[in-house]
Amino acid sequence: RDSFVESRVGAVEQNFEQLVAEIQNLQSQLDGLSLPEVGAPCEDATPGEDVARSLDEALRSVTTLDRRLTNQIEELSSTVATLKVKFDGQTARLATLGERLGSAHEPALDALRNEVQAARNQERRDVESKLSALERKMSEVAEGQEELREACRQSRAEVAASSLRQTPAAAAPQPATDSAALRMLEERLNDQ
C-alpha cells in the first residue's frame, strides 16, 4: 500500500512539473511577442490566434490536471482514512487479545505457582524429617559405641582380675587370647 501511494504521488509530481514547464514555455512565448500599439492596424492576425490557441490549450491542460490531481488527492485521502480505520481496529483487537491472553493464563500460572510452592514445602518437610531421623540414629550409634567401649573396658578389667586370681601356669594362655580379641573389638569401634 505504501509503494502504491508513493508511486501515485510521484506521478502527480511529474505531471505538475510538466505543467509548470509548459506554463513557463508559454510565458516566454508571450514575453517574446510584440503586441501592436493600441489603435495600430493589425497586419496579421495569425500570431495572436496562435497565442490564444496556446493559452486555451494550456488552460485546458491545467484544468484537466487540476481535475486529475483533485481526484487523486481525494482517492489518497480516502485510502489513508481507510488505512487509519483498519489500523485502529487492528490495534484495538491486539490490545483486547493481549488482555484476554493475560487473564486466560493468569489462573493457570497462579495454580502452577501454588503447586510448585506446595511441592517445595513438602520436599522441605521430607528432608527435615529424614535429617532428624538421621540425627537420632547418629546419636543412638554414638551412645551404643560409648556403651561398647565401657563394656570392653569392664571386660578387660575382669579378665585382668581373673587372670591374677588363677594360677600363673594355667592363666597365661587365656588372657593373651582374651586381650587380643578385646583389642580387635576396640579397634573396630574406634574406626567407626
Side-chain angles (χ1 to χ4, degrees), residues 7 11 27 32 48 66 79 84 88 94 110 116 121 123 130 133 146-147 151 162 174 176 181-182 187-188 190:
S7 66
Q27 183 65 40
D66 183 43
T79 303
K84 186 177 184 318
D88 291 343
L94 284 176
D110 288 342
V116 168
N121 291 339
E123 195 65 33
K130 287 178 182 178
E146 234 1 88
E147 290 174 7
S162 68
Q174 200 175 20
L182 286 175
E187 285 175 10
R188 285 185 189 164
N190 288 336

Side-chain angles (χ1 to χ4, degrees), residues 4 8 69-81:
F4 172 74
R8 298 285 288 201
L69 285 176
T70 303
N71 289 339
Q72 288 177 353
I73 288 172
E74 288 174 0
E75 212 175 287
L76 288 174
S77 295
S78 67
T79 303
V80 167

